[in-house]
Amino acid sequence: MKAKKLFLSMLGVLAMATAFTSCSSDDDDDWNDDGSKLVLPKSRAYIMNQGTQSENNSGIEFYAPNHDGEIIDDIFYKQNGARLGDTGQAMIEYDGKVFIAVHGSNYLSRVNAACVEDGRTMFSADPELKGGVRAIVAEDGYVYASFYGGIVAKINASTMKIESKLTNVGKNLENMAVCDDMLYVSNAYEIVDGNFIHLNNVVVIDLNTFKVKESIEVTPNPNQLVEEDDKVFLISWDYSAESYVLQMIDPKNGNKVSRIGYATEMAPNDGVVYLLDSRTDYSNWPDVSTVNTFSSYNVKTGTMNSTSFLKNAPAELMSTSISMISINPGNGDIYIATTFYNKSNGNVYRFKKDGTFVEKFDCGGQNPKAAVFFN
């Protein structure tokens, strides 16, 4: 486990942010491409590359799932004439728009379906938000953003204005999920006298009142959160365990927490949570060795399937560090992205819903972390 801590100290905030996947709200919509310099096909996928901390090399790649358009390496730059910035942290689709949180540059960008920016909120000038934005979720016309420093901001999705801030939620907040008008926020760690102290609670915020309702005890260092079928799934980076710990929170049962296995990445779709356990040895950094296993959890039946959900996967996928798993809700296609850290671009492996391998393509940047789809 010392190797993991060494790796984190080397890469700083290059975090395993949730590879949160969203789809368009209406498959029959004509996308808003106002201001586009490019002609894009209707079916679209965007891959956000986190980049490497302080290198100002975050970006977004465009991919045409129907193969009726060319791959565009950094469509954000081509459409807007500016780089995305330092350390892209999260990307979601909401109401036909894409929202992108950039941690190092500390801002929230809103782009239309052609990746043309039409709104931006800077956080760096606000002393309370100087810790940096970490995760974003959207609900009922608002985007909620978590921050290092223990703050959750409520941002109007139309005006991009911060309407409210909830302070003292925790210490350093990471990912979030919404379930039944409740916002679940992972309170990961604090630093005391230069030492990392891993915390063990998920904070629940009532979105109707925008006040903290309760705190739930979980495995230390909670990080990724997703919702599926009225359950909340959590991955904690417990370095004392053999791998990152997968848990399920049941809101309808008093937020009971159940430990159900190990996973480093997860993606929900259609009553199933697709799981990846990517165990990487960083002790000989920058040379790393990885062993990947794939499994799934059926939320409706409450059963874990340890058999891989992939078929005829390329051999190298079993031994390359993975930084993203994302599902296209329109057709169930599975996108898995690998990382070579700061050495080279990562790759994306696309599979059909039944796990059949479709193709592999260069993600156009370093450390792919999130994907959104317009179908």
Side-chain angles (χ1 to χ4, degrees):
M1 297 307 157
K2 292 182 179 178
K4 287 183 179 178
K5 295 179 180 178
L6 174 63
F7 167 68
L8 288 177
S9 67
M10 289 177 175
L11 295 189
V13 298
L14 178 55
M16 295 284 188
T18 195
F20 186 85
T21 310
S22 300
C23 67
S24 60
S25 56
D26 188 341
D27 286 355
D28 295 326
D29 282 346
D30 291 324
W31 314 131
N32 175 9
D33 288 355
D34 290 351
S36 180
K37 301 173 184 177
L38 307 166
V39 177
L40 303 175
K42 184 170 184 179
S43 182
R44 308 169 185 183
Y46 293 102
I47 311 294
M48 185 193 73
N49 296 302
Q50 188 176 50
T52 299
Q53 183 187 7
S54 302
E55 295 295 324
N56 200 42
N57 60 349
S58 298
I60 297 174
E61 177 177 82
F62 171 82
Y63 168 74
N66 292 340
H67 298 138
D68 50 358
E70 298 295 324
I71 291 176
I72 303 171
D73 281 351
D74 191 350
I75 191 170
F76 186 90
Y77 176 73
K78 290 178 173 65
Q79 292 285 48
N80 301 293
R83 302 296 178 188
L84 186 61
D86 176 15
T87 319
Q89 194 65 32
M91 181 173 71
I92 63 172
E93 186 274 339
Y94 179 67
D95 198 23
K97 302 282 188 177
V98 180
F99 294 83
I100 309 140
V102 186
H103 172 76
S105 300
N106 203 13
Y107 75 93
L108 178 69
S109 173
R110 184 184 66 196
V111 301
N112 66 15
C115 208
V116 176
E117 188 174 55
D118 61 11
R120 179 178 289 209
T121 300
M122 298 297 301
F123 303 123
S124 52
D126 187 330
E128 289 185 318
L129 305 180
K130 65 181 180 180
V133 61
R134 298 300 292 171
I136 49 176
V137 295
E139 185 79 2
D140 293 335
Y142 291 95
V143 175
Y144 296 89
S146 64
F147 290 82
Y148 279 170
I151 296 174
V152 174
K154 181 179 181 180
I155 303 163
N156 188 302
S158 297
T159 66
M160 294 291 284
K161 301 294 185 183
I162 298 174
E163 293 195 359
S164 184
K165 290 184 291 186
L166 190 58
T167 60
N168 299 316
V169 175
K171 298 299 181 180
N172 288 300
L173 308 178
E174 290 288 358
N175 287 279
M176 302 181 291
V178 175
C179 185
D180 292 334
D181 291 329
M182 298 293 162
L183 179 65
Y184 292 74
V185 186
S186 55
N187 184 29
Y189 71 92
E190 63 179 326
I191 300 176
V192 179
D193 297 328
N195 298 312
F196 282 80
I197 308 298
H198 298 134
L199 305 176
N200 65 342
N201 65 309
V202 167
V203 180
V204 183
I205 298 171
D206 187 336
L207 292 182
N208 295 306
T209 61
F210 200 48
K211 293 182 179 180
V212 172
K213 179 185 178 184
E214 62 181 301
S215 178
I216 307 167
E217 184 176 345
V218 297
T219 299
N221 204 5
N223 197 283
Q224 297 185 50
L225 283 164
V226 299
E227 184 275 338
E228 182 64 16
D229 202 19
D230 298 326
K231 302 289 193 300
V232 178
F233 292 84
L234 165 69
I235 294 176
S236 289
W237 296 5
D238 184 0
Y239 300 132
S240 67
E242 65 177 86
S243 187
Y244 298 160
V245 178
L246 175 67
Q247 300 141 88
M248 183 180 71
I249 302 170
D250 188 354
K252 296 187 184 305
N253 190 17
N255 282 322
K256 178 183 177 181
V257 180
S258 301
R259 183 166 168 164
I260 57 177
Y262 296 103
T264 54
E265 298 287 340
M266 59 182 169
N269 186 56
D270 196 22
V272 175
V273 181
Y274 294 84
L275 302 167
L276 157 70
D277 191 5
S278 185
R279 303 192 184 191
T280 300
D281 181 359
Y282 302 103
S283 59
N284 294 316
W285 178 263
D287 296 320
V288 301
S289 60
T290 299
V291 176
N292 297 319
T293 57
F294 300 89
S295 60
S296 58
Y297 184 83
N298 188 307
V299 184
K300 291 181 173 60
T301 63
T303 56
M304 181 75 76
N305 185 353
S306 59
T307 302
S308 174
F309 51 84
L310 301 180
K311 301 176 182 177
N312 66 313
E316 73 267 16
L317 188 58
M318 299 300 107
S319 58
T320 306
S321 295
I322 294 177
S323 56
M324 183 194 87
I325 177 171
S326 192
I327 313 294
N328 181 347
N331 59 12
D333 279 5
I334 303 164
Y335 290 71
I336 296 172
T338 59
T339 177
F340 299 98
Y341 307 101
N342 61 355
K343 293 195 288 188
S344 63
N345 288 358
N347 292 311
V348 178
Y349 296 77
R350 178 184 171 190
F351 298 83
K352 293 182 181 178
K353 185 177 182 179
D354 67 1
T356 303
F357 178 62
V358 177
E359 66 178 331
K360 165 189 172 182
F361 58 93
D362 187 305
C363 74
Q366 296 175 5
N367 304 304
K369 292 307 300 174
V372 297
F373 305 92
F374 290 85
N375 295 296

